[in-house]
Amino acid sequence: MNDVSTNEDSNGRLLEPPTLAGLDIENAVLRLIDYAASLPASDLFLAPRKADGAVSARHLGVVRTLMTVPREDLTRYINHFKVVAGMPVDQRLWPLDGRWVGTIDAGRRLH
């Protein structure tokens, strides 16, 4: 994984993108969500590219690439989100828009 940028949280503190190497898919996805929430980001985007995958977030109205990950890992992250959101895993012809509601940090609700 290559860090692409460093971002600030809502208090102006610099936040390094999380390390996902060696984590199972569920924990890697939880780290991505926690990181995006700490910015705070309004949206999280997972975009496959030819050689790798980009993880981006909309933060303060601007979409920024947070990190790149191996394409195989990105596919696993996307499939995990699809399963959790009840979306069709086999649909790959066009981008899908979905919504997920969850809780982090002892009850902080995300949607």
Side-chain angles (χ1 to χ4, degrees):
M1 170 183 50
N2 300 320
D3 293 348
V4 174
S5 64
T6 302
N7 293 287
E8 295 180 359
D9 68 5
S10 57
N11 296 320
R13 294 178 301 215
L14 292 177
L15 298 173
E16 292 291 326
T19 300
L20 305 176
L23 294 176
D24 61 74
I25 298 305
E26 187 171 354
N27 284 318
V29 166
L30 289 174
R31 281 225 183 136
L32 285 174
I33 292 168
D34 187 50
Y35 178 65
S38 68
L39 291 175
S42 59
D43 298 287
L44 185 63
F45 303 96
L46 304 174
R49 302 188 294 200
K50 277 189 177 183
D52 58 14
V55 177
S56 304
R58 181 174 289 122
H59 172 59
L60 301 174
V62 177
V63 176
R64 303 179 206 192
T65 300
L66 304 176
M67 67 181 74
T68 58
V69 295
R71 187 171 168 119
E72 309 81 50
D73 289 351
L74 187 84
T75 300
R76 290 184 191 112
Y77 303 155
I78 291 169
N79 286 339
H80 179 78
F81 277 112
K82 286 179 178 181
V83 167
V84 170
M87 300 167 73
V89 177
D90 61 342
Q91 184 55 257
R92 294 190 180 109
L93 297 178
W94 58 83
L96 296 175
D97 185 18
R99 184 178 182 140
W100 171 82
V101 177
T103 353
I104 62 167
D105 296 335
R108 183 172 164 206
R109 188 173 176 164
L110 299 175
H111 49 86

